[in-house]
Amino acid sequence: MSVTSEIIAGGDDDFMAVRKVTAAGSQLEIGRALAAEAAATFGWAPVPADPVMARARRAWFERNWPQHHERMRGAAEAAGVDFDDDRVHLDGLTGVPSGSACSVTYLRPSTTKEGHGLFGRNYDFFTTSAEEIFAALGGPEPAGPRPPMASRPYVLNSIPDAGPTTTVLTMNELDGCMEGINEHGLAVALLIADAENTAPPVEAGPQVGISSAQLPRFVLDTCATADEAKQALLGAKQYDLGVPLHYLIADAAGNAFIWERGDAGIEHIIDIDGDALCLTNHLVHKQQAGELPPDNEETLRTYGRYRTLLDRTGGSVMSGERLRATLDEIGFDATNAGHYPVRTLWRTVFDLDERTMSTRFYLGDTATGGLRHSAELTFGPGLLAG
């Protein structure tokens, strides 16, 4: 077992301190290391569970996501509890809920200067605590000051003895992620599915299946291609506890799709049709691109950002440099965030041929309302890019 942990961007004087953890070994050992990290950073500990629910969850993971099942064994070791104790849940390695308002686009290899599939995303989120966020969404007022929800993100590089190596970026859930890539060149990113109608989550606790923030990690652990991801998701039990997300999933061969769940739990796959596939914060299966309504204060510019992505990625050769410029064009800073405290907390560009993830992190505002950020850092599965 090998584990390294280091601060790679930001620090005590910045909005965020970004930590990178690299763990190599069995999935059990990786799970033990991540649980220890979650306990140290977020104060994570196993939470009480209904015994029937806990047994059913373990059984589902064992059948459908054995990698996570083994990491839960490691979490039990880190917490000093019996893995078969039905009174507690052994995942959810976080201290706060999840969610995001973001922009993402995938470019087929045939349309890029590099000849590689490129996958770019802005992670746009609030600069406040979870309690303040949910108060703004109609929940109760916070009892007192708390740390910003996104102030301690992690880059997690997992190198298991068996199964694909993965590099993921997470805001706060060490057994889930907001985006990531595996050694096969499969990449995933999650986004809020309906910014205008988002409400605080239902406090129901973990359910059987994969949570919205675990879904990207499930795909990266179990799939090598977009087609495999479709089959895995159609066969998986999923839940969101009232904060629906949607996802863009793409592979190195030029295949990509959007995964959404709509009314009555109906699942929707929107395949790439052309040179690029774009996604922001409205349900694509409900809105045709040529019929998008105007934005308002509650939509977080989802329709405008979507139109810009379609315009910039259509009909011309793109490059990593142009993709970065487009993402910067539609990002959030103090000058355009409206009445919500939203910033682009990081910008990532995946090169699916190189299996790399290149990310620049938000460190604070400039005097003129722009973004102060770190240098762009490049990561990759295994030893490819550290």
Side-chain angles (χ1 to χ4, degrees):
M1 175 63 179
S2 171
V3 180
T4 62
S5 179
E6 60 179 330
I7 297 291
I8 56 171
D12 292 340
D13 296 328
D14 300 304
F15 171 78
M16 67 172 62
V18 185
R19 183 170 290 274
K20 180 173 183 280
V21 173
T22 299
S26 67
Q27 293 287 5
L28 184 152
E29 292 169 322
I30 291 171
R32 186 173 61 219
L34 295 180
E37 190 73 37
T41 300
F42 303 122
W44 173 82
V47 299
D50 172 82
V52 174
M53 179 72 74
R55 285 196 298 273
R57 292 186 80 239
R58 287 202 309 274
W60 193 92
F61 288 134
E62 186 174 19
R63 290 192 307 270
N64 298 283
W65 192 8
Q67 298 90 343
H68 184 72
H69 185 264
E70 284 302 295
R71 290 196 293 265
M72 287 171 61
R73 287 189 182 276
E77 289 189 3
V81 301
D82 182 355
F83 175 71
D84 294 317
D85 188 343
D86 294 334
R87 296 171 298 174
V88 293
H89 292 298
L90 293 166
D91 55 353
L93 305 181
T94 183
V96 289
S98 65
S100 65
C102 310
S103 303
V104 62
T105 188
Y106 170 69
L107 307 171
R108 276 182 159 154
S110 59
T111 69
T112 68
K113 180 181 178 182
E114 296 85 352
H116 296 179
L118 299 178
F119 187 123
R121 88 102 103 233
N122 283 341
Y123 189 77
D124 305 320
F125 199 71
F126 300 91
T127 57
T128 57
S129 69
E131 292 80 4
E132 290 170 303
I133 292 168
F134 298 140
L137 296 173
E141 290 297 319
R146 297 289 300 275
M149 193 172 173
S151 59
R152 294 295 181 267
Y154 275 81
V155 175
L156 303 175
N157 186 211
S158 298
I159 310 171
D161 294 338
T165 295
T166 60
T167 300
V168 305
L169 178 50
T170 182
M171 182 176 74
N172 57 286
E173 300 202 5
L174 301 195
D175 60 346
C177 67
M178 280 64 246
E179 63 211 63
I181 188 170
N182 69 17
E183 67 180 45
H184 303 296
L186 184 70
V188 189
L190 63 75
L191 304 85
I192 282 283
D194 186 357
E196 187 173 11
N197 297 301
T198 295
V202 175
E203 295 184 8
Q207 304 293 298
V208 177
I210 48 176
S211 71
S212 51
Q214 289 176 332
L215 186 149
R217 192 75 172 268
F218 167 75
V219 168
L220 295 173
D221 276 344
T222 62
C223 304
T225 67
D227 282 344
E228 288 182 7
K230 291 176 186 177
Q231 292 301 309
L233 291 173
L234 287 168
K237 192 172 185 292
Q238 301 162 51
Y239 65 95
D240 58 36
L241 298 183
V243 184
L245 306 181
H246 55 184
Y247 309 81
L248 198 152
I249 301 171
D251 64 29
N255 306 303
F257 69 98
I258 293 166
W259 175 260
E260 294 183 338
R261 300 177 74 230
D263 297 339
I266 295 173
E267 296 163 335
H268 299 268
I269 292 173
I270 300 98
D271 283 305
I272 188 169
D273 181 18
D275 295 338
L277 186 61
C278 306
L279 188 62
T280 52
N281 304 118
H282 57 275
L283 289 164
V284 176
H285 76 269
K286 287 189 173 183
Q287 300 281 3
Q288 297 301 313
E291 303 171 359
L292 296 179
D295 280 304
N296 58 55
E297 282 285 356
E298 303 302 323
T299 63
L300 296 175
R301 297 179 15 232
T302 181
Y303 303 119
R305 288 183 282 121
Y306 187 76
R307 291 186 186 96
T308 298
L309 284 174
L310 289 179
D311 179 65
R312 300 292 184 271
T313 58
S316 62
V317 176
M318 288 289 286
S319 65
E321 181 179 2
R322 289 190 62 190
L323 177 56
R324 287 167 171 83
T326 298
L327 292 171
D328 288 347
E329 181 183 354
I330 61 173
F332 285 88
D333 61 23
T335 69
N336 64 15
H339 69 265
Y340 286 119
V342 177
R343 300 290 186 272
T344 297
L345 298 187
W346 61 75
R347 183 199 69 192
T348 293
V349 173
F350 296 96
D351 185 316
L352 303 193
D353 284 61
E354 297 291 335
R355 278 64 164 165
T356 56
M357 180 180 83
S358 298
T359 307
R360 187 184 71 184
F361 297 94
Y362 167 77
L363 301 182
D365 291 345
T366 67
T368 58
L371 302 181
R372 183 170 61 85
H373 48 71
S374 73
E376 185 176 84
L377 304 172
T378 297
F379 316 96
L383 302 178
L384 187 63

